[in-house]
Amino acid sequence: MNFQIRDAITANMTNNSATDIRSVVEDALQRGEEHLLPGLGVFFEKLWVNADEQEKSKISGELAQAFSAGS
């Protein structure tokens, strides 16, 4: 992922409220445009880096379930 994308996303999202961030994520998902995926990846990266081991296990489990054959 290009570091310029990380820097731009970080600058644009710094000090945004939880409501603002949720709106950005929901808009990106609703639009379904693949060029928005790197930005969502930056969101995930921030979440992962700041998560403790218990949170990482929970996230990993939820993703495994989301990607299971039955989903």
Side-chain angles (χ1 to χ4, degrees):
M1 187 179 321
N2 187 329
F3 282 99
Q4 292 175 342
I5 293 171
R6 280 189 183 107
D7 293 343
I9 297 290
T10 299
N12 287 336
M13 299 309 298
T14 297
N15 296 322
N16 280 0
S17 70
T19 301
D20 294 334
I21 293 171
R22 182 176 178 145
S23 293
V24 169
V25 171
E26 288 179 347
D27 180 60
L29 294 175
Q30 180 182 26
R31 289 169 48 177
E33 298 173 12
E34 291 203 11
H35 73 275
L36 298 174
L37 292 176
L40 294 175
V42 173
F43 279 44
F44 182 78
E45 179 183 45
K46 293 282 188 186
L47 178 67
W48 188 263
V49 167
N50 290 301
D52 62 25
E53 287 305 312
Q54 183 177 359
E55 291 169 320
K56 287 178 180 178
S57 292
K58 184 176 188 287
I59 292 166
S60 298
E62 289 176 1
L63 286 170
Q65 185 176 7
F67 285 105
S68 71
S71 295

